[in-house]
Amino acid sequence: MLKTSLKTIILAFAFSSCAQAQKDYPTMGQVEILDPAMEKIVDADAKVEKLADGMVWAEGPVWVGDGNYLLYSDTRQNIIYKWSEKDGLQHFIKPAGFEGPGVYSEEEGTNGLLINKDGFLIACDHGNRRIAKIVLKSKQKETLVDNWEGKKFNSPNDICQHPNGDYYFTDPPYGLPGREKDTTTKEIAENGVYQVNSQGVASQVISNLARPNGIALSVDAKKLYVALSDGNNPYIMVYDVKEDGSVGEGSIFYDFKKQFPEESLAADGIKVDDNGNLYAAAGDGVIVMNSDGNTIGRIRSGVHTANCAFGEDGYLYMTASDQLLRIKLR
């Protein structure tokens, strides 16, 4: 009897300590249920939590399972930030991209990030016009690839990895000194999408998109999604992935003008969950659609949102303008 009572007291104390350690964050926004399938993803009354602010343009979040923390970029402050429940917000790497001297461009830091199959941080490095590989513990950087057929990339923007180890990334002009008007440093005419094989050789697999931005693979890796930050063509495109890693003719998977004719929306970063649903950072939050391209809901924070990432702690993390946000998923 004494042992049972003591155990009960110890458990009660442990739960009390955990409750006290849990931080209270400011909340905002709302969830819009547009299809019953959305209720399987997030509670209708769930709130967006604001974890940190003070950035200029937050981008490219990625969860690091070995350590339970989030990394994300500030493209304009040239910083990769680290956030954890335990330690809050910290600088992880500064400078993350261009290392000087002087100023290279308005967005000279890193953008999209991922943790690859081998546990390295892979970064779209605007300032050095490359895909960089970074050792998490030492923060040592090296170039994975920085050119196509001897010509420098524009500014690699977002990236995903195929199960076979190949990478796919987008290369719009946003990190160039003159952005889309750059005529002096731009070496590749197209704002392309590239495949990088295990030998580190890049192939341009898509060449006819004006503003390729977010990129993701389907659950079975047989389809490649590319978001266009293009006001004239605010689409998410889809491509069949071939055996050699190249892609077939693309088609429109999702048209924001048709879905939301009264709003001016286009996707930035995109992610796919284990059930094939696609999450697109667009406007003041994240729009969720199923694998057939039907809208099922929106997570609205009221803050212009650039990208999102799934945490192993059950949250969807969102980089939104100068803020880091999250919402609890089911």
Side-chain angles (χ1 to χ4, degrees):
M1 190 71 177
L2 179 60
K3 289 183 179 179
T4 302
S5 300
L6 184 59
K7 182 178 179 181
T8 302
I9 292 169
I10 291 171
L11 285 173
F13 178 77
F15 283 124
S16 174
S17 298
C18 287
Q20 291 174 4
Q22 182 68 38
K23 298 175 183 176
D24 290 325
Y25 299 102
T27 60
M28 59 181 71
Q30 62 182 348
V31 173
E32 293 183 1
I33 305 295
L34 305 178
D35 184 283
M38 186 68 174
E39 294 183 280
K40 297 179 181 180
I41 293 173
V42 61
D43 288 332
D45 60 354
K47 293 295 183 182
V48 175
E49 294 179 308
K50 176 180 164 183
L51 306 177
D53 59 17
M55 287 67 70
V56 176
W57 186 243
E59 257 283 10
V62 64
W63 183 260
V64 183
D66 184 10
N68 294 316
Y69 59 90
L70 189 85
L71 296 176
Y72 65 98
S73 302
D74 187 328
T75 64
R76 298 188 181 186
Q77 291 196 99
N78 201 359
I79 299 169
I80 292 177
Y81 282 101
K82 175 182 178 180
W83 181 91
S84 69
E85 193 79 55
K86 178 183 176 184
D87 299 318
L89 188 66
Q90 301 173 314
H91 285 185
F92 186 71
I93 300 177
K94 182 181 181 180
F98 182 69
E99 296 181 356
V103 175
Y104 169 68
S105 74
E106 185 179 1
E107 295 190 15
E108 62 185 18
T110 56
N111 198 312
L113 307 174
L114 70 79
I115 302 297
N116 74 2
K117 295 173 64 178
D118 300 316
F120 292 100
L121 177 64
I122 306 298
C124 293
D125 184 343
H126 275 192
N128 295 300
R129 301 168 72 170
R130 67 177 180 173
I131 301 297
K133 184 172 83 170
I134 303 172
V135 181
L136 286 170
K137 289 186 177 180
S138 68
K139 303 176 186 177
Q140 180 180 350
K141 307 176 194 174
E142 65 178 77
T143 298
L144 194 67
V145 62
D146 62 3
N147 74 90
W148 170 60
E149 297 182 346
K151 293 174 282 190
K152 289 183 179 179
F153 297 126
N154 297 323
S155 54
N157 186 277
D158 208 355
I159 190 166
C160 60
Q161 188 175 30
H162 193 280
N164 68 10
D166 290 356
Y167 299 97
Y168 291 90
F169 71 90
T170 55
D171 189 41
Y174 304 134
L176 292 174
R179 292 176 65 92
E180 58 272 7
K181 297 179 181 179
D182 196 295
T183 57
T184 57
T185 57
K186 197 175 196 293
E187 298 183 13
I188 301 174
E190 301 85 3
N191 297 321
V193 177
Y194 296 86
Q195 171 208 13
V196 181
N197 65 20
S198 58
Q199 287 76 47
V201 178
S203 301
Q204 190 183 81
V205 293
I206 304 172
S207 61
N208 62 347
L209 302 178
R211 296 289 182 271
N213 199 320
I215 191 166
L217 285 157
S218 60
V219 177
D220 61 9
K222 292 182 178 180
K223 295 184 182 297
L224 182 71
Y225 300 103
V226 180
L228 308 186
S229 295
D230 183 347
N232 296 319
N233 302 291
Y235 307 143
I236 296 175
M237 302 293 293
V238 62
Y239 302 82
D240 290 329
V241 179
K242 299 180 180 179
E243 289 290 330
D244 63 356
S246 63
V247 301
E249 290 295 320
S251 60
I252 298 171
F253 174 75
Y254 194 86
D255 184 341
F256 285 89
K257 275 187 179 179
K258 286 186 177 180
Q259 297 289 333
F260 303 98
E262 297 180 358
E263 298 182 62
S264 179
L265 295 174
D268 196 327
I270 55 177
K271 295 294 187 296
V272 175
D273 71 16
D274 290 341
N275 294 314
N277 301 306
L278 195 146
Y279 299 61
D284 65 351
V286 172
I287 295 172
V288 185
M289 59 205 74
N290 64 21
S291 57
D292 293 322
N294 299 317
T295 311
I296 61 174
R298 299 179 73 171
I299 298 167
R300 307 189 73 166
S301 67
V303 184
H304 188 74
T305 303
N307 215 326
C308 60
F310 304 110
E312 292 176 15
D313 56 356
Y315 285 91
L316 178 72
Y317 288 85
M318 297 166 280
T319 47
S321 187
D322 62 339
Q323 300 174 28
L324 175 65
L325 312 174
R326 74 176 180 183
I327 191 168
K328 185 71 172 178
L329 302 181
R330 284 188 179 273

